[in-house]
């Protein structure tokens, strides 16, 4: 066997191995969105749709981070303002991320949707901190050198239920 | 929770089973409108003459007496209350008064009325938008608020919503509950 032939075989083996590796890597898909200057992500399966130019109907007697109801196709959705929840700052926007949650209709007030990304599972970081704010996040991913936290949407409903019981 | 399970519907529907209608007063506002069950309003009159009594910290929503012939009724500014409470932004005139006899309120509300100094009046008046009109809706045209908020809002006096199309939202309010908890109880 000549060296040239050996080289071809090794290259071919390398290509096959690469294909095999690609098949075994699992990816997670996220919707990355912004709240002011901060970026967050949601598992793509938690997002039903993105909606622009919405009227938000103020609802009395609820915590301030509930900005009201949105009317999506004749259905009421609870509008969460995460800037108010996390930073005590009101977000000025009329863009909504409609959530796909079992058992309730809720959406997030956001500045904009940045992008939809696919991240290899082994590049998804778990959150080790146990402080109050980290309870709202499932994990984090790195995007352009910055850590982006992935929101745990059902935790928002749990927080609201707790606040309403008080 | 399906609407049929909400006990508040019993006694406020009319019509044959399957064809029941709910008679509501629609107070058109922007961005949301308000609906009041017809059974929670005795009558209505246009406001012609009033006398100022001066609102205070103890009675932020009561500053006028409605004069109608020989009759004098405390006139609550329900229109201003709705604008304040529901974040309404329109400036439509409010020259209509909903009238409610004192004995038509449940006893806990009557008790609070007595504490409020209203025992000598046979009825109370509530200023609302002049554009108020009566409409009939079927139970199917109402919806509960989203699940987590629904039971809480019902206790606060907002039992249901109507979203007639994708551009409008109407709150059905429980007049007695709001009057008791948010008007008679409120102190500035």
């Amino acid at each position: 066997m000549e060296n040239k032939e050996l080289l071809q075989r090794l290259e071919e083996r390398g290509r096959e191995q690469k294909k095999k590796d690609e098949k075994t890597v699992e990816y997670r898909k996220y919707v990355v969105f912004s709240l002011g200057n901060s970026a967050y992500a949601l598992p793509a399966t938690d997002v039903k749709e993105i909606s622009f130019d919405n009227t938000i109907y103020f609802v009395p007697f609820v915590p301030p981070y509930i900005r009201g109801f949105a009317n999506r196709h004749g259905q009421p959705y609870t509008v969460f303002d995460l800037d108010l929840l996390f930073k005590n700052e009101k977000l000025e926007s009329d863009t909504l991320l409609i959530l796909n949650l079992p058992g309730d209709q809720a959406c997030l007030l956001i500045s904009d949707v940045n992008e939809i990304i696919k991240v290899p599972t082994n590049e998804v970081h778990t959150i080790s901190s146990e402080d109050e704010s980290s309870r709202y996040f499932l994990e984090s991913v790195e995007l352009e050198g910055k850590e982006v936290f992935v929101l745990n949407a059902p935790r928002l409903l749990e927080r609201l239920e707790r606040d309403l019981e008080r | 929770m399906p609407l049929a399970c909400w006990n508040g519907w019993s006694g406020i529907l009319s019509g044959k089973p399957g064809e029941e209608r709910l008679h509501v007063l629609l107070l058109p506002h922007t961005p949301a409108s308000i609906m009041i069950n017809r059974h929670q309003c005795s009558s209505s009159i246009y406001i012609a003459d009033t006398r100022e009594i001066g609102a205070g910290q103890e009675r932020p929503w009561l500053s006028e007496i409605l004069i109608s012939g020989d009759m004098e009724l405390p006139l609550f500014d329900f229109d201003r209350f709705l604008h304040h409470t529901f974040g309404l932004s329109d400036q439509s005139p409010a020259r209509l008064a909903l009238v409610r006899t004192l004995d038509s309120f449940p006893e806990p509300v009557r008790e609070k009325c007595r504490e409020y100094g209203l025992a000598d009046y046979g009825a109370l008046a509530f200023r609302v938008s002049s554009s108020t009109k009566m409409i009939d809706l079927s139970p199917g045209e109402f919806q509960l608020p989203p699940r987590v908020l629904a039971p809480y809002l019902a206790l606060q006096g907002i039992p249901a919503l109507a979203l007639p199309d994708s551009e409008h939202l109407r709150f059905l309010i429980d007049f007695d509950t709001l009057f008791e908890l948010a008007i008679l109880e409120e102190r500035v």
Side-chain angles (χ1 to χ4, degrees):
Chain A
M1 181 186 284
E2 290 184 13
N3 288 347
K4 198 177 168 185
E5 194 183 343
L6 175 66
L7 187 62
Q8 275 178 350
R9 284 195 186 182
L10 289 176
E11 282 174 350
E12 196 176 322
R13 199 169 70 193
R15 279 196 295 273
E16 281 170 4
Q17 186 60 44
K18 197 179 170 189
K19 274 185 191 169
K20 217 182 269 178
D21 289 347
E22 278 178 355
K23 277 182 188 169
T24 54
V25 172
E26 287 184 3
Y27 289 87
R28 289 188 198 167
K29 208 169 167 184
Y30 298 100
V31 176
V32 181
F33 60 96
S34 58
L35 299 173
N37 296 324
S38 308
Y40 296 93
L42 266 170
T45 50
D46 284 358
V47 178
K48 194 182 280 180
E49 61 172 319
I50 300 150
S51 174
F52 302 95
D53 301 325
N54 294 279
T55 301
I56 296 166
Y57 301 92
F58 178 79
V59 178
F61 316 126
V62 295
Y65 58 84
I66 301 299
R67 292 285 293 275
F69 290 145
N71 178 350
R72 292 302 302 151
H73 314 300
Q75 296 291 318
Y77 281 77
T78 306
V79 180
F80 283 81
D81 182 342
L82 297 184
D83 255 8
L84 261 173
L85 183 62
F86 296 155
K87 301 178 190 167
N88 209 21
E89 291 171 11
K90 195 174 174 181
L91 183 69
E92 296 301 335
S93 173
D94 55 12
T95 301
L96 299 173
L97 208 54
I98 313 295
L99 300 178
N100 184 27
L101 296 175
D104 209 352
Q105 296 177 160
C107 58
L108 306 180
L109 189 65
I110 62 168
S111 300
D112 207 353
V113 169
N114 301 4
E115 57 187 311
I116 296 168
I117 55 170
K118 266 171 78 177
V119 180
T121 310
N122 58 6
E123 291 178 24
V124 175
H125 311 300
T126 54
I127 293 179
S128 51
S129 166
E130 290 179 359
D131 62 18
E132 170 65 20
S133 59
S134 62
R135 66 191 322 200
Y136 299 108
F137 302 108
L138 282 169
E139 54 213 11
S140 72
V141 292
E142 201 171 299
L143 188 65
E144 294 166 357
K146 285 182 182 172
E147 192 173 27
V148 174
F149 290 98
V150 180
L151 204 67
N152 187 345
R155 284 280 163 85
L156 297 173
L157 293 177
E158 289 172 19
R159 165 68 189 261
L160 176 58
E161 275 181 309
R162 265 203 327 275
D163 287 345
L164 295 178
E165 282 167 9
R166 284 177 189 166
Chain B
M1 179 170 63
L3 282 177
C5 294
W6 179 56
N7 289 334
W9 293 104
S10 59
I12 55 175
L13 297 169
S14 66
K16 294 176 190 169
E19 297 172 9
E20 298 98 333
R21 307 292 291 174
L22 186 75
H23 312 294
V24 297
L25 296 168
L26 174 66
L27 286 56
H29 287 290
T30 305
S33 294
I34 306 294
M35 296 182 296
I36 302 172
N37 193 308
R38 169 69 182 82
H39 288 243
Q40 294 186 320
C41 167
S42 309
S43 61
S44 62
I45 50 175
Y46 272 91
I47 299 168
D49 197 8
T50 60
R51 174 164 57 83
E52 294 284 327
I53 55 172
Q57 291 185 336
E58 290 295 303
R59 300 189 300 189
W61 307 111
L62 177 61
S63 62
E64 295 172 285
I65 295 287
L66 171 65
I67 303 164
S68 179
D70 296 338
M71 194 171 59
E72 291 203 345
L73 302 177
L75 176 60
F76 286 87
D77 197 341
F78 199 62
D79 185 68
R80 189 166 59 85
F81 165 77
L82 290 176
H83 276 78
H84 171 83
T85 305
F86 287 86
L88 306 176
S89 56
D90 60 313
Q91 297 293 323
S92 58
R95 303 290 303 167
L96 186 70
L98 303 181
V99 177
R100 186 75 188 267
T101 57
L102 214 55
D103 59 10
S104 70
F105 284 110
E107 177 49 33
V109 183
R110 288 204 299 270
E111 175 60 32
K112 282 194 180 148
C113 286
R114 286 191 282 273
E115 290 168 12
Y116 207 84
L118 303 169
D120 295 338
Y121 297 95
L124 306 175
F126 299 87
R127 185 185 283 276
V128 293
S129 165
S130 306
S131 309
T132 297
K133 58 186 174 186
M134 178 96 84
I135 59 169
D136 284 357
L137 296 173
S138 71
E141 291 174 273
F142 291 90
Q143 296 190 39
L144 291 174
R147 184 187 61 84
V148 171
L149 286 173
Y152 171 80
L153 287 178
L155 291 174
Q156 304 299 317
I158 306 173
L161 309 170
L163 294 82
D165 51 50
S166 59
E167 303 293 323
H168 294 91
L169 189 144
R170 299 168 176 170
F171 290 97
L172 176 71
I173 60 170
D174 185 87
F175 189 87
D176 293 359
T177 305
L178 273 181
F179 182 51
E180 180 185 359
L181 299 181
I183 293 183
L184 294 178
E185 287 281 307
E186 189 166 346
R187 305 286 184 270
V188 176

